[in-house]
Amino acid sequence: MADIQNSDFGSLNPLELFEQVTAQGERVRALKADKAPKDEVDAAVKLLLALKSNYKTAAGQEYKAGSPPTDFPPVSNGPRGDDGEDFVDPWTVQTSNAKGVDYDKLIVRFGSSKIDKDLINRIERVTGYKPHHFLRRGIFFSHRDMNQILNAYENKKPFYLYTGRGPSSEAMHVGHLIQFIFAKWLQEVFNVPLIIQLTDDEKYLWKDLTLEKAYQYAVENIKDIIACGFDINKTFIFSDLQYMGASPEFYKNVVKIQKHVTFNQVKGIFGFTDSDCIGKISFPAIQAAPSFSSSFPQIFNDRKDIQCLIPCAIDQDPYFRMTRDVAPRIGYPKPALLHSVFFPALQGAQTKMSASDSTSSIFLTDTPKQIKTKINKHAFSGGRDTVEEHRQYGGNCDVDVSYMYLTFFLEDDDKLEQIKQDYTSGALLTGELKKILIDTLQPLIAAHQQRRKEITDKTVEEFMTPRKLAFNY
């Protein structure tokens, strides 16, 4: 166990403190059994006592071995209101800053860790692959326990990937591709199974949809997901409405999670109120359940000890903070996470794109003409009011949506840097920058549409059939 400084205790919740006390107690016993030097034992005991004291303060009770806390205050998603602070939860992203959410502050608030150069270099060393440009450019910027995943991989221990999609409309937009592009890269470089959950039940609970329409959206979204190029022998895609009723082990895990999370906790984490339907209150356990390998016995041969890595946007983190708190209490490993930034709306980075607003997004169904019109008409510009001013003072890439989109979809680092220099210096005008984005997105979306045309209902059924994948456990 890594040494913990007293100043770090305040960032831990009661359950994390409980686990630290338990681990430190084991370390003290090991040092004594090994007859370690007295000063080393004394230092370890001192840390143990400090951890116990902080646990008592945070949990309001004495530490008792084998009895973790059952309720504790959740991490705040941020203040609601007009005080200038960012607010982020799974349904709402609010910021008044034209540059978008302050992700460094979000890391501190959520208690995650920054993906730094050392971690990126380690991923390259361990996999033997150049890091994806989403990592190099800070698009995936935060993590929980990624070093554990790399340790497991180096020691030839298995892990798997889990990500998902809430099918709120028939057509997905380009922002929805980000986690799937990255999940595909992770699957290829680590050669691991991938689980993809379609939360059609969630959309039925939150939106004005019938069950039939929610499931229809799930199937249509699955076609777009398959079109990203996933290997059918290594990927299982499922709809909650279809899979949960057919999988006793999945439902058992849902019930286990539900038993260990109180109503006060879900209200605090997700902002539910007394007027919300009980389906919403119980739903987080359904999104948590794929984090545990025993939910998929056909894939993992009933093993319960295989850790999960979840690439997702940072707004989904509240679900998995809850999951990580519950995991040790029901005997499962905590899922690790990789968090991405939000894909901005065409109108600016103050909000994430919405599938329900056609002008805020470039959809995967858009024609080349629609893509060109949307970018030229709606993409927020960081340029100056006149050509003369722009030539003199240059544009602002920090707020320019066309440049932001290129950071996601233009893979050539040198070309992107040249565009930034030219736009910032005034050599490149806003219209010219928008044309570069149009020329980048039109062939990308056209290629995606062609792949999607080739996906049949039978292909979808094959991806959604519970089955053994190309791995042995």
Side-chain angles (χ1 to χ4, degrees), residues 25 66 69 79 177 235 246 277 310-311 362:
L177 289 179
T235 307
C277 72
I310 305 170
I362 303 294

Side-chain angles (χ1 to χ4, degrees), residues 148-149 151-161 190-193 293 300 303 305-309 333 471-473:
Q148 281 187 16
I149 295 293
N151 291 343
Y153 185 74
E154 286 183 314
N155 291 315
K156 303 191 184 309
K157 293 181 179 179
F159 73 92
Y160 70 100
L161 297 166
F190 287 107
N191 190 31
V192 292
S293 59
F300 300 108
R303 284 185 59 173
D305 61 337
I306 301 176
Q307 192 175 14
C308 169
L309 173 62
F471 303 92
N472 294 313
Y473 296 99

Side-chain angles (χ1 to χ4, degrees), residues 222-334:
I222 287 169
K223 292 177 181 178
D224 276 313
I225 292 167
I226 295 171
C228 293
F230 290 109
D231 185 339
I232 195 169
N233 296 309
K234 299 179 181 180
T235 307
F236 174 52
I237 306 176
F238 71 97
S239 138
D240 285 344
L241 290 175
Q242 183 185 73
Y243 182 67
M244 192 158 79
S247 176
E249 297 308 315
F250 186 92
Y251 183 61
K252 286 176 185 177
N253 278 338
V254 170
V255 173
K256 286 179 184 178
I257 297 161
Q258 289 171 339
K259 184 174 181 177
H260 288 82
V261 181
T262 68
F263 182 40
N264 280 338
Q265 283 177 283
V266 293
K267 283 200 297 184
I269 296 169
F270 300 103
F272 297 145
T273 68
D274 293 344
S275 61
D276 279 311
C277 72
I278 59 174
K280 290 183 179 182
I281 294 157
S282 61
F283 171 75
I286 299 172
Q287 184 158 322
S291 305
F292 306 131
S293 59
S294 59
S295 293
F296 308 100
Q298 69 278 9
I299 296 172
F300 300 108
N301 197 25
D302 295 315
R303 284 185 59 173
K304 302 178 180 180
D305 61 337
I306 301 176
Q307 192 175 14
C308 169
L309 173 62
I310 305 170
C312 63
I314 188 76
D315 62 337
Q316 298 301 299
D317 188 68
Y319 283 111
F320 301 114
R321 292 200 303 266
M322 181 199 78
T323 307
R324 285 168 56 84
D325 289 336
V326 169
R329 286 186 272 165
I330 58 177
Y332 296 144
K334 293 182 179 183

Side-chain angles (χ1 to χ4, degrees), residues 339-461:
H339 300 125
S340 72
V341 301
F342 301 118
F343 196 87
L346 282 170
Q347 288 81 359
Q350 284 90 342
T351 60
K352 62 179 181 178
M353 286 211 298
S354 169
S356 59
D357 180 358
S358 63
T359 66
S360 75
S361 316
I362 303 294
F363 283 86
L364 300 181
T365 52
D366 283 347
T367 64
K369 183 179 179 181
Q370 287 173 318
I371 293 168
K372 180 179 180 180
T373 299
K374 284 184 178 182
I375 292 171
N376 282 332
K377 187 174 181 179
H378 297 294
F380 185 82
S381 170
R384 302 290 175 171
D385 292 337
T386 66
V387 171
E388 291 75 17
E389 287 182 358
H390 189 89
R391 294 292 190 199
Q392 183 176 357
Y393 300 110
N396 183 356
C397 288
D398 290 338
V399 301
D400 192 287
V401 167
S402 295
Y403 178 78
M404 291 180 189
Y405 279 28
L406 288 171
T407 66
F408 287 89
F409 293 112
L410 183 63
E411 295 188 20
D412 188 320
D413 290 339
D414 293 335
K415 186 174 180 181
L416 183 69
E417 180 59 30
Q418 188 61 55
I419 290 168
K420 183 176 183 179
Q421 289 179 15
D422 289 348
Y423 193 62
T424 302
S425 70
L428 187 71
L429 298 175
T430 294
E432 294 168 330
L433 177 58
K434 288 186 174 186
K435 186 177 187 304
I436 294 171
L437 177 61
I438 292 164
D439 292 343
T440 301
L441 285 183
Q442 283 178 336
L444 185 151
I445 292 175
H448 179 92
Q449 290 169 351
Q450 183 58 43
R451 292 192 301 270
R452 192 186 191 282
K453 281 182 185 177
E454 298 168 3
I455 295 164
T456 64
D457 290 339
K458 183 179 179 183
T459 304
V460 173
E461 183 181 346

Side-chain angles (χ1 to χ4, degrees), residues 7-232:
S7 60
D8 292 335
F9 294 160
S11 65
L12 302 178
N13 68 41
L15 184 59
E16 290 169 328
L17 281 166
F18 178 88
E19 293 167 353
Q20 297 286 3
V21 173
T22 301
Q24 187 64 15
E26 292 172 356
R27 184 175 184 220
V28 169
R29 285 190 290 276
L31 288 171
K32 289 180 177 178
D34 293 341
K35 296 183 170 50
K38 184 176 183 300
D39 58 345
E40 190 175 347
V41 174
D42 288 345
V45 170
K46 183 179 178 181
L47 179 56
L48 175 61
L49 294 174
L51 282 164
K52 285 185 175 181
S53 175
N54 279 269
Y55 173 78
K56 182 178 179 180
T57 299
Q61 62 188 41
E62 297 282 355
Y63 171 82
K64 183 179 179 181
S67 300
T70 57
D71 200 1
F72 49 87
V75 178
S76 170
N77 298 319
R80 283 192 183 272
D82 300 321
D83 55 6
E85 285 293 318
D86 299 338
F87 179 86
V88 173
D89 73 8
W91 306 280
T92 307
V93 178
Q94 294 176 345
T95 179
S96 59
N97 192 332
K99 296 180 181 179
V101 170
D102 187 328
Y103 292 104
D104 288 333
K105 285 185 178 179
L106 209 55
I107 286 173
V108 173
R109 185 185 304 151
F110 282 8
S112 59
S113 301
K114 189 177 181 66
I115 296 178
D116 57 18
K117 188 70 175 175
D118 288 342
L119 181 59
I120 294 172
N121 289 341
R122 188 181 178 201
I123 291 171
E124 183 171 16
R125 282 198 313 274
V126 168
T127 64
Y129 287 84
K130 181 180 179 180
H132 196 279
H133 68 274
F134 289 174
L135 285 170
R136 302 195 306 269
R137 297 175 188 170
I139 290 168
F140 276 82
F141 70 99
S142 165
H143 75 99
R144 296 185 188 275
D145 291 342
M146 185 59 191
N147 280 304
Q148 281 187 16
I149 295 293
L150 296 175
N151 291 343
Y153 185 74
E154 286 183 314
N155 291 315
K156 303 191 184 309
K157 293 181 179 179
F159 73 92
Y160 70 100
L161 297 166
Y162 156 44
T163 192
R165 159 87 182 122
S168 57
S169 65
E170 190 167 332
M172 290 167 55
H173 59 58
V174 288
H176 293 138
L177 289 179
I178 303 308
Q179 68 198 65
F180 297 112
I181 291 171
F182 192 57
K184 182 174 182 286
W185 181 81
L186 290 169
Q187 183 182 49
E188 289 172 350
V189 301
F190 287 107
N191 190 31
V192 292
L194 169 63
I195 307 292
I196 300 175
Q197 178 187 44
L198 276 290
T199 57
D200 41 7
D201 53 343
E202 175 203 14
K203 295 308 174 185
Y204 170 73
L205 292 167
W206 264 265
K207 304 282 186 178
D208 184 20
L209 296 174
T210 63
L211 282 170
E212 293 74 20
K213 182 61 73 173
Y215 180 72
Q216 178 191 334
Y217 286 170
V219 171
E220 293 304 313
N221 284 191
I222 287 169
K223 292 177 181 178
D224 276 313
I225 292 167
I226 295 171
C228 293
F230 290 109
D231 185 339
I232 195 169

